[in-house]
Amino acid sequence: MTTLLHLDSAVFPQGSASREVTATFVKTWLEQHPDGQVVYRDLAANPLPHLDAAAAAAGAEDPLRSELAAELEAADAVLIGAPMYNFSIPSTLKAWLDQVIIVGRNVGPDSPVAGTPITVVASRGGSYAPGTPREDSEFVQNYLQKLLTSMFGAEVDFIVPELTLAHSQPAMAELIPLAEASRARAFTEATEKAKALAARLAA
């Protein structure tokens, strides 16, 4: 039996691009693994406390931090919904990262998370792709790629639904076709990546 750890962090429970794409990934995953387990945390609905001095000093001895680390370490794969808010990740996701990263337990070359495939759905209202005017403001993929690989040695992959505000912002109306294409591509990637990952882990 395989276990998928699924984290959502978008503040809106409905109409969230990242939530819709992660839901497609999970649906496909469960179709491949009907007896598999999905451990789910909605970090927006049930936010974790920010790391404080007591928890930082306690490290792996802190009950909450130990629980979160155990969930991560037990997962065969991880799925993270990470919408871009103010050029960065939601504070609730940052709180999870601060709590779950524990030096002496899961950080470094011998991390129990090393090699774990982590799929990040990094949605954003505009486009921050290479060659776009806002390329230099892309701090979600760059940050998570660096953190998850350097801290855990994880294998990180991204699905990027972009231009999600095109339908609601008149100034972006001409970008609607590109937004729809990006949305369709994200759902296709979620399905394909979930199938490929399920097959790989079952092998």
Side-chain angles (χ1 to χ4, degrees):
M1 181 178 71
T2 57
T3 299
L4 174 69
L5 174 60
H6 173 198
L7 309 172
D8 274 328
S9 60
V11 296
F12 295 109
Q14 304 295 330
S16 160
S18 66
R19 287 180 182 271
E20 290 173 350
V21 176
T22 60
T24 296
F25 188 105
V26 171
K27 179 178 180 292
T28 304
W29 173 274
L30 288 175
E31 289 172 350
Q32 305 299 310
H33 293 290
D35 297 324
Q37 179 183 17
V38 177
V39 176
Y40 181 58
R41 283 189 178 270
D42 187 332
L43 300 174
N46 298 289
L48 297 167
H50 289 290
L51 186 66
D52 59 18
E61 300 303 314
D62 180 83
L64 174 59
R65 300 190 73 194
S66 181
E67 175 187 348
L68 296 172
E71 284 181 353
L72 176 61
E73 293 158 9
D76 297 290
V78 181
L79 174 66
I80 301 175
M84 178 184 282
Y85 292 160
N86 300 318
F87 302 123
S88 186
I89 63 173
S91 63
T92 52
L93 178 55
K94 181 61 163 62
W96 179 81
L97 289 166
D98 288 342
Q99 294 282 8
V100 81
I101 295 170
I102 305 175
V103 176
R105 172 164 176 162
N106 55 23
V107 174
D110 298 322
S111 170
V113 188
T116 299
I118 299 179
T119 304
V120 179
V121 179
S123 60
R124 59 277 314 275
S127 179
Y128 300 80
T132 63
R134 289 191 169 186
E135 176 183 1
D136 63 353
S137 297
E138 204 306 297
F139 302 116
V140 173
Q141 286 178 264
N142 291 337
Y143 169 67
L144 291 176
Q145 175 74 36
K146 182 65 175 180
L147 182 143
L148 296 171
T149 56
S150 64
M151 291 291 193
F152 295 138
E155 176 187 309
V156 185
D157 193 18
F158 290 92
I159 300 172
V160 186
E162 61 179 11
L163 302 170
T164 62
L165 291 177
H167 287 277
S168 60
Q169 299 296 321
M172 298 177 65
E174 65 180 16
L175 299 175
I176 288 177
L178 292 176
E180 292 178 344
S182 178
R183 175 183 172 85
R185 185 166 56 249
F187 284 120
T188 298
E189 289 183 3
T191 299
E192 292 177 348
K193 290 177 185 291
K195 286 181 177 179
L197 187 55
R200 168 183 156 188
L201 293 175

